[in-house]
Amino acid sequence: MEQLLDFSKGPLFRLTFAIMVLGLARIFVLDLYEAYRAYRRAGDKTLPWKQITLRSLTWLFPVRQVFKNRPVYSVFSILFHIGLLVVPVFLYAHVILWKDDLGFGIPTLPYQWAYGLTVLTIVSALALIIGRAASRSSSFLSRKQDYLWPVVLLIPFVTGFICAHLGVGPRTYQFFMLVHILAAELIFVLIPFTKIAHCVLMPLSQFIANLAWKFPPDTDEKICITLNKKGEPV
Amino acid sequence: MRTKKITTEEREKAFKSLRKSEVNEKQKLHVRYHVEDYETNDRPRRFLEAFAAILKHSNYRLALEHFIRVSAKCSRCAVTCQVYQATGDEKDIPCYRSELLLSVYRRHFTVGGMLKGRLSGKGWLTDEKIEEMAESFWNCTACRRCNRDCPSGIDHGLITHLGRYILAEIGIAPRALVVSTREQLEGATGNTSAIPVPALVDTLQFLEEDMFEEKGVTIKFPMDVEGSEYVFFPAVSDFLMEAETLMGIAAVFTATGDSWTTGTGYFDGINYGLFYSDRMLERIVKKIDAETRRLKGKKVLIGECGHASRSAKYFLPAYCGGKDAYPVINIMEYTWEVLKNGCLKLDPNIVTEVVTYHDPCNIARQGWIIDKPREILKAFCKNYVEMTPAGQDNICCGGGGGTVSIDEIRPYRTTIGGKLKADQIRATGCKYLVAPCANCKKQLRELVEDQGIDCEVVGLHDLIYKAIIFDDALKVKTPDESEKMEKE
Ligand code: HEM
Ligand code: SF4
């Protein structure tokens, strides 16, 4: 057990973390490359930069959008994201783990805050699942990954909570800690290949949706040649 | 804004197809709109070939790659879409509509999808799926309102646009649009309404006489005047159906004295290419460029028409020279400018009834023209009221994306597409519903008729024509006298 824990904390952690970082970097760069090609081919290169920036910021910090559309779901979604981003990064127990490797520390969450945020994240994840299943339109659209993601993301939160706050015995502690770490590592690996890729792609969305309308010139002729339609009547 | 779902009877009426079952069988297509006969064999393969060719020569891959990765299936677009709001049919949720095409892209044009497809042997594009797309993409009015509520920035209007384009390449497109476009590009008259030049000249002369009688001022429609500041392209159907709008525009130019002209070589702003085929979009836009060049004009002026304005404004630079393309303005921008300058005077005591303004999606969604028409209206209409939501978040008339030109689907447009709009109009209690767009006007007139709403659908310049005040200097006695003055 101890060896397994050490392995998952050390080499496996580094490997899966690298997969996540490289995977995300890959799709981000590919997205930018495709955008660069589209921009070069476009006949009209003017873009509404101000509008793109404003709309991107609006959705990255969607405070103004919250009550317009699906308000309850949106509130839980925002709380869920705050928990997802803040707890793993600023938790005291996590920060001390990297401090030795990195050589510097970052501010940490006070104990009560960590406790509260974890509970909030768990509650909002459950609310998202219920919200998805209960809404006719949402459940119609949902794929397997849309239900599985909140569940998978819950595992590290629940196990972390058990280890940190429930005062379980050493054997049980070790078991839950192992599940905690392995689940987190599974998440790292899956992130670049699923919809969670949105965590790096989202800032580009408005830009890309605008750029996609900038068509290249003379496509009519080129497509006619490719499809053997030259001279064909309308 | 929410609306009540349609009743079963309404559903039956809206989805009733006028197509004969023999035609459905022959064309292997169970859709409500008419389609010209086309090659029905091997549709999936030809669909994929067309898709591949379009991907190769255009910029769509960028959007598709991004959208398949970020789609979160949050279903906010369901709340936004006026079609889903009315039908309550999950297949009308924008995200589902887009998924129809995105899944084809994922399965046939991404490495992961192809591998998965090979392994499972499933997911091939089928005839059924093509039929579903042919139906679904023409249920959407391409209003692009759903994009405003998508956290992932997915532009379902763009996907619909692309889906229709690919379908058109294999021969599936509404006959109404194809026939008009054929006349415009290859026909004898060169415009979508098939108006011959002599008939156009006659019509305009007739209008000039009318205006002289009504206003006591010589108001001209200058034809083929080289070197004019503005070359004018209205939706060509205005010459047949919207005389008042054209008269209002001519009156404004008479008041300001700026030079404008209509070209007899080409005078149609309509561009159905925007609705079903980028290739046609490009060809039509190039005709506008050529005519402006022939007349040595300085700017392209589009009449009261949303899609005509958008296709010229955004695609003239794309296809005809980028930065060096002719500047494009919409007539309302011009009128706003001259009103602000004090060159245009309007009598505030003429239009006293309740007036409201409908934003055409194609000029409002991107935030291009929203406040200017409102400022014009408020300058002389005492009783101006707003609809909510309006502006960038406006609700489509229900005939967007070319669907208004498909007469056989009128019941669909007035019971489903325009349902939310009808609620909105009713709530204002307006007498005049100002809709500065040939497509919106046609749809809204049918909508208020079918839904029994008592109001008159007009253009912005129709009201201006009623209220315009001319300088005394312009008021000459007879046309002869004015000709004399012109000579001097
Ligand atoms: C930079 C940060 C991020 C931004 C701006 C962002 C934004 C969004 C948005 C806009 C949605 C869809 C709208 C909604 O359902 O409310 C969403 C959904 C989701 N995000 Fe994120 N996200 C970020 C990071 C992350 C991360 C790091 C994770 C997980 C590791 C994550 C997990 C999820 C999940 C599971 C959903 C779906 C929720 C559901 O079940 O409806 N997000 N995110
Ligand atoms: S573009 Fe308009 S009609 Fe089409 S799916 Fe979106 S909201 Fe509905």
Side-chain angles (χ1 to χ4, degrees):
Chain A
M1 190 65 135
E2 224 127 283
Q3 272 168 345
L4 210 57
L5 255 179
D6 278 344
F7 176 72
S8 57
K9 272 187 191 169
L12 197 59
F13 178 83
R14 265 174 246 134
L15 176 73
T16 52
F17 198 75
I19 291 177
M20 176 179 80
V21 173
L22 293 176
L24 288 176
R26 176 180 154 267
I27 54 171
F28 189 75
V29 170
L30 275 180
D31 227 23
L32 279 183
Y33 173 71
E34 204 58 58
Y36 164 75
R37 265 178 32 124
Y39 185 78
R40 271 207 22 201
R41 300 211 294 196
D44 169 21
K45 299 194 198 300
T46 52
L47 280 166
W49 290 110
K50 198 175 142 207
Q51 192 166 331
I52 292 173
T53 315
L54 278 176
R55 297 252 293 137
S56 302
L57 290 176
T58 311
W59 280 117
L60 289 177
F61 306 98
V63 267
R64 270 179 38 208
Q65 306 296 326
V66 170
F67 296 105
K68 269 175 64 182
N69 195 334
R70 303 200 73 196
V72 180
Y73 181 83
S74 300
V75 168
F76 280 117
S77 177
I78 291 176
L79 294 175
F80 178 62
H81 276 85
I82 293 174
L84 278 179
L85 294 171
V86 171
V87 176
V89 177
F90 297 103
L91 196 73
Y92 177 72
H94 286 178
V95 173
I96 50 168
L97 280 175
W98 315 320
K99 209 170 175 175
D100 295 336
D101 286 345
L102 293 173
F104 62 87
I106 49 173
T108 59
L109 272 179
Y111 177 84
Q112 289 89 345
W113 277 78
Y115 186 101
L117 266 178
T118 305
V119 174
L120 206 62
T121 314
I122 293 171
V123 171
S124 15
L126 294 173
L128 286 181
I129 298 171
I130 295 168
R132 191 173 276 284
S135 145
R136 254 182 52 193
S137 52
S138 227
S139 56
F140 180 79
L141 292 173
S142 298
R143 306 153 293 190
K144 268 182 245 124
Q145 64 158 307
D146 297 313
Y147 287 107
L148 283 178
W149 263 114
V151 177
V152 173
L153 288 166
L154 268 181
I155 301 173
F157 279 85
V158 172
T159 49
F161 186 84
I162 294 172
C163 293
H165 303 292
L166 294 192
V168 289
R171 304 270 331 208
T172 329
Y173 181 93
Q174 277 189 344
F175 170 75
F176 279 116
M177 190 39 64
L178 189 65
V179 176
H180 179 77
I181 296 168
L182 290 178
E185 288 165 351
L186 176 71
I187 291 167
F188 290 163
V189 174
L190 290 178
I191 282 178
F193 307 103
T194 55
K195 71 165 180 177
I196 309 300
H198 70 264
C199 61
V200 294
L201 296 184
M202 268 273 301
L204 298 178
S205 281
Q206 302 295 334
F207 165 62
I208 283 176
N210 272 279
L211 181 55
W213 281 103
K214 299 290 169 182
F215 300 161
D218 302 320
T219 33
D220 176 24
E221 195 177 339
K222 289 177 195 154
I223 288 174
C224 280
I225 294 171
T226 309
L227 291 177
N228 247 329
K229 282 192 177 178
K230 225 166 150 48
E232 219 175 77
V234 170
Chain B
M1 194 173 170
R2 299 255 181 171
T3 185
K4 275 218 263 347
K5 302 246 181 302
I6 48 167
T7 60
T8 324
E9 297 91 75
E10 280 173 327
R11 180 182 301 277
E12 258 163 37
K13 196 170 116 209
F15 285 100
K16 205 172 118 197
S17 170
L18 300 173
R19 282 162 52 105
K20 296 203 185 75
S21 53
E22 309 98 78
V23 178
N24 285 342
E25 286 317 309
K26 188 166 94 191
Q27 298 187 340
K28 292 205 215 157
L29 206 59
H30 293 78
V31 291
R32 280 166 294 117
Y33 53 89
H34 297 312
V35 176
E36 293 183 318
D37 282 343
Y38 67 99
E39 175 58 53
T40 50
N41 283 328
D42 236 5
R43 283 189 304 190
R45 184 185 52 78
R46 286 186 302 116
F47 184 95
L48 293 175
E49 273 172 15
F51 201 166
I54 289 170
L55 285 178
K56 182 167 165 210
H57 299 296
S58 70
N59 279 342
Y60 290 109
R61 189 181 278 273
L62 166 70
L64 298 173
E65 270 305 307
H66 189 82
F67 294 163
I68 55 169
R69 290 217 167 93
V70 295
S71 181
K73 309 290 173 202
C74 71
S75 97
R76 283 184 183 78
C77 54
V79 183
T80 319
C81 177
Q82 84 275 11
V83 173
Y84 174 64
Q85 283 294 309
T87 63
D89 178 352
E90 276 76 18
K91 295 195 166 177
D92 281 321
I93 301 174
C95 210
Y96 178 81
R97 206 190 301 296
S98 294
E99 187 60 30
L100 291 175
L101 190 67
L102 290 177
S103 63
V104 178
Y105 176 75
R106 203 183 285 112
R107 169 65 183 79
H108 293 279
F109 298 97
T110 65
V111 179
M114 285 191 280
L115 279 178
K116 221 167 120 187
R118 280 274 156 74
L119 290 177
S120 68
K122 280 194 295 217
W124 264 101
L125 176 61
T126 57
D127 269 319
E128 289 75 58
K129 192 139 181 205
I130 289 182
E131 265 197 74
E132 191 181 358
M133 287 194 270
E135 173 83 10
S136 178
F137 290 145
W138 288 97
N139 281 353
C140 164
T141 65
C143 70
R144 297 169 73 211
R145 187 160 181 260
C146 43
N147 169 251
R148 306 257 320 147
D149 276 354
C150 180
S152 314
I154 296 177
D155 192 337
H156 303 289
L158 179 79
I159 307 280
T160 295
H161 176 92
L162 172 61
R164 291 173 172 193
Y165 179 18
I166 305 170
L167 286 169
E169 288 301 327
I170 65 169
I172 302 177
R175 189 173 70 198
L177 302 182
V178 178
V179 168
S180 300
T181 305
R182 185 175 301 135
E183 182 60 27
Q184 185 178 25
L185 290 171
E186 292 164 352
T189 60
N191 64 77
T192 46
S193 293
I195 305 175
V197 172
L200 173 77
V201 175
D202 269 3
T203 308
L204 293 182
Q205 262 168 8
F206 180 74
L207 293 184
E208 285 174 357
E209 283 160 25
D210 254 16
M211 290 191 285
F212 183 76
E213 266 169 37
E214 285 168 21
K215 298 280 171 185
V217 173
T218 307
I219 303 172
K220 289 252 168 230
F221 283 101
M223 304 291 284
D224 282 335
V225 181
E226 284 193 9
S228 296
E229 184 75 15
Y230 302 100
V231 182
F232 182 52
F233 300 92
V236 80
S237 50
D238 284 4
F239 291 119
L240 303 175
M241 294 161 42
E242 306 295 341
E244 303 261 312
T245 308
L246 294 174
M247 287 173 4
I249 293 169
V252 170
F253 273 104
T254 305
T256 63
D258 282 333
S259 64
W260 69 304
T261 191
T262 307
T264 53
Y266 184 65
F267 46 87
D268 190 357
I270 286 181
N271 193 333
Y272 290 150
L274 183 68
F275 303 140
Y276 81 95
S277 166
D278 288 0
R279 294 208 287 114
M280 302 306 135
L281 174 69
E282 177 175 345
R283 289 188 197 177
I284 297 165
V285 158
K286 283 182 169 165
K287 287 189 77 167
I288 290 187
D289 182 65
E291 181 68 353
T292 311
R293 209 164 289 279
R294 180 181 80 83
L295 291 170
K296 302 188 179 64
K298 300 199 179 63
K299 290 180 191 142
V300 170
L301 175 71
I302 307 289
E304 288 194 10
C305 186
H307 92 282
S309 301
R310 172 163 164 233
S311 42
K313 169 94 171 172
Y314 293 97
F315 298 106
L316 205 68
Y319 294 125
C320 306
K323 283 201 299 292
D324 304 324
Y326 289 111
V328 175
I329 69 161
N330 173 284
I331 183 64
M332 295 190 291
E333 294 180 287
Y334 173 80
T335 301
W336 179 82
E337 188 78 40
V338 295
L339 185 69
K340 289 284 129 173
N341 290 344
C343 301
L344 178 65
K345 290 187 194 65
L346 301 170
D347 186 343
N349 298 313
I350 306 283
V351 184
T352 49
E353 298 90 340
V354 179
V355 173
T356 190
Y357 178 78
H358 163 75
D359 290 279
C361 301
N362 280 312
I363 57 175
R365 190 73 65 226
Q366 298 302 95
W368 175 23
I369 302 175
I370 291 170
D371 295 333
K372 286 178 182 174
R374 292 182 162 80
E375 284 174 30
I376 300 173
L377 286 172
K378 284 180 198 159
F380 73 105
C381 298
K382 284 195 168 134
N383 242 323
Y384 178 78
V385 295
E386 279 292 354
M387 290 189 256
T388 40
Q392 271 191 284
D393 283 317
N394 85 312
I395 288 163
C396 176
C397 63
T403 56
V404 68
S405 310
I406 310 172
D407 281 323
E408 62 270 22
I409 65 167
R410 171 169 172 165
Y412 177 83
R413 286 188 275 109
T414 59
T415 39
I416 291 175
K419 186 156 195 306
L420 208 55
K421 193 82 222 176
D423 294 351
Q424 241 191 339
I425 300 168
R426 239 184 238 114
T428 63
C430 64
K431 167 76 173 58
Y432 288 121
L433 170 57
V434 177
C437 170
N439 286 346
C440 299
K441 274 180 202 154
K442 176 168 185 283
Q443 159 72 8
L444 291 171
R445 279 188 194 126
E446 295 175 356
L447 182 68
V448 295
E449 189 186 326
D450 291 2
Q451 295 259 356
I453 303 170
D454 181 26
C455 74
E456 193 181 332
V457 180
V458 294
L460 179 75
H461 285 80
D462 304 30
L463 296 186
I464 290 183
Y465 183 69
K466 286 186 206 291
I468 193 163
I469 305 172
F470 291 101
D471 276 351
D472 284 338
L474 287 169
K475 291 195 177 150
V476 276
K477 293 272 168 337
T478 63
D480 295 343
E481 274 185 45
S482 79
E483 243 163 57
K484 223 187 278 164
M485 273 179 62
E486 258 175 35
K487 281 200 189 107
E488 284 160 20

PDB file of all heavy atoms in Angstrom, chain B residues 94 169 206 247 255 267 305 349 356 368 383 390 433 457 482:
ATOM      1  N   PRO B  94     -31.197  24.124 -30.782  1.00  0.00           N
ATOM      2  CA  PRO B  94     -30.074  24.489 -31.649  1.00  0.00           C
ATOM      3  C   PRO B  94     -28.886  23.540 -31.540  1.00  0.00           C
ATOM      4  O   PRO B  94     -28.288  23.147 -32.543  1.00  0.00           O
ATOM      5  CB  PRO B  94     -29.715  25.890 -31.165  1.00  0.00           C
ATOM      6  CG  PRO B  94     -30.999  26.445 -30.656  1.00  0.00           C
ATOM      7  CD  PRO B  94     -31.754  25.284 -30.084  1.00  0.00           C
ATOM      8  N   GLU B 169     -25.059  21.454 -52.585  1.00  0.00           N
ATOM      9  CA  GLU B 169     -24.092  20.904 -53.545  1.00  0.00           C
ATOM     10  C   GLU B 169     -24.536  19.539 -54.078  1.00  0.00           C
ATOM     11  O   GLU B 169     -24.133  19.135 -55.161  1.00  0.00           O
ATOM     12  CB  GLU B 169     -22.702  20.787 -52.914  1.00  0.00           C
ATOM     13  CG  GLU B 169     -21.992  22.116 -52.698  1.00  0.00           C
ATOM     14  CD  GLU B 169     -21.779  22.923 -53.977  1.00  0.00           C
ATOM     15  OE1 GLU B 169     -21.590  22.311 -55.042  1.00  0.00           O
ATOM     16  OE2 GLU B 169     -21.817  24.164 -53.902  1.00  0.00           O
ATOM     17  N   PHE B 206     -43.401  56.310 -63.366  1.00  0.00           N
ATOM     18  CA  PHE B 206     -44.743  56.368 -62.797  1.00  0.00           C
ATOM     19  C   PHE B 206     -44.686  56.871 -61.349  1.00  0.00           C
ATOM     20  O   PHE B 206     -45.447  57.747 -60.944  1.00  0.00           O
ATOM     21  CB  PHE B 206     -45.339  54.960 -62.865  1.00  0.00           C
ATOM     22  CG  PHE B 206     -46.716  54.854 -62.330  1.00  0.00           C
ATOM     23  CD1 PHE B 206     -47.802  55.348 -63.052  1.00  0.00           C
ATOM     24  CD2 PHE B 206     -46.958  54.264 -61.091  1.00  0.00           C
ATOM     25  CE1 PHE B 206     -49.077  55.242 -62.553  1.00  0.00           C
ATOM     26  CE2 PHE B 206     -48.225  54.166 -60.588  1.00  0.00           C
ATOM     27  CZ  PHE B 206     -49.300  54.654 -61.320  1.00  0.00           C
ATOM     28  N   MET B 247     -40.022  55.564 -52.576  1.00  0.00           N
ATOM     29  CA  MET B 247     -40.356  56.977 -52.696  1.00  0.00           C
ATOM     30  C   MET B 247     -39.757  57.759 -51.534  1.00  0.00           C
ATOM     31  O   MET B 247     -39.247  58.868 -51.714  1.00  0.00           O
ATOM     32  CB  MET B 247     -41.878  57.154 -52.759  1.00  0.00           C
ATOM     33  CG  MET B 247     -42.380  56.681 -54.110  1.00  0.00           C
ATOM     34  SD  MET B 247     -44.126  56.564 -54.482  1.00  0.00           S
ATOM     35  CE  MET B 247     -45.101  57.116 -53.258  1.00  0.00           C
ATOM     36  N   ALA B 255     -34.135  65.986 -50.946  1.00  0.00           N
ATOM     37  CA  ALA B 255     -33.973  67.010 -49.911  1.00  0.00           C
ATOM     38  C   ALA B 255     -32.503  67.350 -49.695  1.00  0.00           C
ATOM     39  O   ALA B 255     -32.142  68.497 -49.440  1.00  0.00           O
ATOM     40  CB  ALA B 255     -34.611  66.541 -48.617  1.00  0.00           C
ATOM     41  N   PHE B 267     -29.429  45.798 -60.681  1.00  0.00           N
ATOM     42  CA  PHE B 267     -30.064  46.639 -59.662  1.00  0.00           C
ATOM     43  C   PHE B 267     -30.723  45.820 -58.562  1.00  0.00           C
ATOM     44  O   PHE B 267     -31.722  46.214 -57.979  1.00  0.00           O
ATOM     45  CB  PHE B 267     -31.086  47.575 -60.322  1.00  0.00           C
ATOM     46  CG  PHE B 267     -31.990  46.887 -61.332  1.00  0.00           C
ATOM     47  CD1 PHE B 267     -33.156  46.265 -60.924  1.00  0.00           C
ATOM     48  CD2 PHE B 267     -31.648  46.842 -62.679  1.00  0.00           C
ATOM     49  CE1 PHE B 267     -33.970  45.608 -61.836  1.00  0.00           C
ATOM     50  CE2 PHE B 267     -32.464  46.188 -63.602  1.00  0.00           C
ATOM     51  CZ  PHE B 267     -33.625  45.569 -63.182  1.00  0.00           C
ATOM     52  N   CYS B 305     -33.098  46.412 -46.422  1.00  0.00           N
ATOM     53  CA  CYS B 305     -33.112  44.956 -46.480  1.00  0.00           C
ATOM     54  C   CYS B 305     -31.971  44.392 -45.650  1.00  0.00           C
ATOM     55  O   CYS B 305     -30.814  44.741 -45.862  1.00  0.00           O
ATOM     56  CB  CYS B 305     -33.002  44.462 -47.911  1.00  0.00           C
ATOM     57  SG  CYS B 305     -33.192  42.690 -48.000  1.00  0.00           S
ATOM     58  N   ASN B 349     -45.850  66.171 -36.596  1.00  0.00           N
ATOM     59  CA  ASN B 349     -47.297  66.078 -36.344  1.00  0.00           C
ATOM     60  C   ASN B 349     -48.030  65.163 -37.307  1.00  0.00           C
ATOM     61  O   ASN B 349     -49.250  65.110 -37.324  1.00  0.00           O
ATOM     62  CB  ASN B 349     -47.919  67.475 -36.406  1.00  0.00           C
ATOM     63  CG  ASN B 349     -47.325  68.356 -35.341  1.00  0.00           C
ATOM     64  OD1 ASN B 349     -47.206  67.951 -34.188  1.00  0.00           O
ATOM     65  ND2 ASN B 349     -46.887  69.542 -35.732  1.00  0.00           N
ATOM     66  N   THR B 356     -43.709  51.002 -33.543  1.00  0.00           N
ATOM     67  CA  THR B 356     -42.640  50.211 -32.942  1.00  0.00           C
ATOM     68  C   THR B 356     -41.679  49.758 -34.029  1.00  0.00           C
ATOM     69  O   THR B 356     -41.997  49.828 -35.211  1.00  0.00           O
ATOM     70  CB  THR B 356     -43.185  49.010 -32.148  1.00  0.00           C
ATOM     71  OG1 THR B 356     -42.111  48.430 -31.412  1.00  0.00           O
ATOM     72  CG2 THR B 356     -43.765  47.949 -33.063  1.00  0.00           C
ATOM     73  N   TRP B 368     -24.570  46.046 -35.647  1.00  0.00           N
ATOM     74  CA  TRP B 368     -24.238  47.014 -36.698  1.00  0.00           C
ATOM     75  C   TRP B 368     -25.224  48.193 -36.691  1.00  0.00           C
ATOM     76  O   TRP B 368     -24.827  49.335 -36.445  1.00  0.00           O
ATOM     77  CB  TRP B 368     -24.196  46.280 -38.053  1.00  0.00           C
ATOM     78  CG  TRP B 368     -23.987  47.162 -39.251  1.00  0.00           C
ATOM     79  CD1 TRP B 368     -23.412  48.406 -39.268  1.00  0.00           C
ATOM     80  CD2 TRP B 368     -24.343  46.865 -40.609  1.00  0.00           C
ATOM     81  NE1 TRP B 368     -23.394  48.885 -40.550  1.00  0.00           N
ATOM     82  CE2 TRP B 368     -23.945  47.979 -41.392  1.00  0.00           C
ATOM     83  CE3 TRP B 368     -24.961  45.777 -41.242  1.00  0.00           C
ATOM     84  CZ2 TRP B 368     -24.149  48.019 -42.767  1.00  0.00           C
ATOM     85  CZ3 TRP B 368     -25.145  45.816 -42.614  1.00  0.00           C
ATOM     86  CH2 TRP B 368     -24.741  46.921 -43.376  1.00  0.00           C
ATOM     87  N   ASN B 383     -45.306  58.714 -30.722  1.00  0.00           N
ATOM     88  CA  ASN B 383     -45.731  57.594 -29.914  1.00  0.00           C
ATOM     89  C   ASN B 383     -44.890  56.359 -30.186  1.00  0.00           C
ATOM     90  O   ASN B 383     -45.391  55.339 -30.600  1.00  0.00           O
ATOM     91  CB  ASN B 383     -47.184  57.280 -30.254  1.00  0.00           C
ATOM     92  CG  ASN B 383     -48.052  57.452 -29.045  1.00  0.00           C
ATOM     93  OD1 ASN B 383     -47.625  57.123 -27.936  1.00  0.00           O
ATOM     94  ND2 ASN B 383     -49.245  57.961 -29.254  1.00  0.00           N
ATOM     95  N   ALA B 390     -34.976  43.621 -27.592  1.00  0.00           N
ATOM     96  CA  ALA B 390     -34.756  44.238 -28.894  1.00  0.00           C
ATOM     97  C   ALA B 390     -33.257  44.404 -29.119  1.00  0.00           C
ATOM     98  O   ALA B 390     -32.453  43.996 -28.287  1.00  0.00           O
ATOM     99  CB  ALA B 390     -35.462  45.584 -28.944  1.00  0.00           C
ATOM    100  N   LEU B 433     -45.871  48.921 -37.563  1.00  0.00           N
ATOM    101  CA  LEU B 433     -44.744  48.080 -37.212  1.00  0.00           C
ATOM    102  C   LEU B 433     -43.678  48.337 -38.273  1.00  0.00           C
ATOM    103  O   LEU B 433     -43.821  47.939 -39.422  1.00  0.00           O
ATOM    104  CB  LEU B 433     -45.182  46.612 -37.225  1.00  0.00           C
ATOM    105  CG  LEU B 433     -44.122  45.537 -37.103  1.00  0.00           C
ATOM    106  CD1 LEU B 433     -43.302  45.707 -35.837  1.00  0.00           C
ATOM    107  CD2 LEU B 433     -44.769  44.160 -37.101  1.00  0.00           C
ATOM    108  N   VAL B 457     -47.656  46.833 -41.407  1.00  0.00           N
ATOM    109  CA  VAL B 457     -46.215  46.637 -41.487  1.00  0.00           C
ATOM    110  C   VAL B 457     -45.659  47.568 -42.557  1.00  0.00           C
ATOM    111  O   VAL B 457     -46.078  47.513 -43.711  1.00  0.00           O
ATOM    112  CB  VAL B 457     -45.881  45.180 -41.841  1.00  0.00           C
ATOM    113  CG1 VAL B 457     -44.372  44.983 -41.914  1.00  0.00           C
ATOM    114  CG2 VAL B 457     -46.497  44.225 -40.832  1.00  0.00           C
ATOM    115  N   SER B 482     -38.915  72.387 -63.738  1.00  0.00           N
ATOM    116  CA  SER B 482     -37.777  71.811 -63.017  1.00  0.00           C
ATOM    117  C   SER B 482     -36.683  71.386 -63.995  1.00  0.00           C
ATOM    118  O   SER B 482     -35.498  71.525 -63.729  1.00  0.00           O
ATOM    119  CB  SER B 482     -38.223  70.618 -62.177  1.00  0.00           C
ATOM    120  OG  SER B 482     -38.366  69.490 -62.980  1.00  0.00           O
TER     121      SER B 482
END
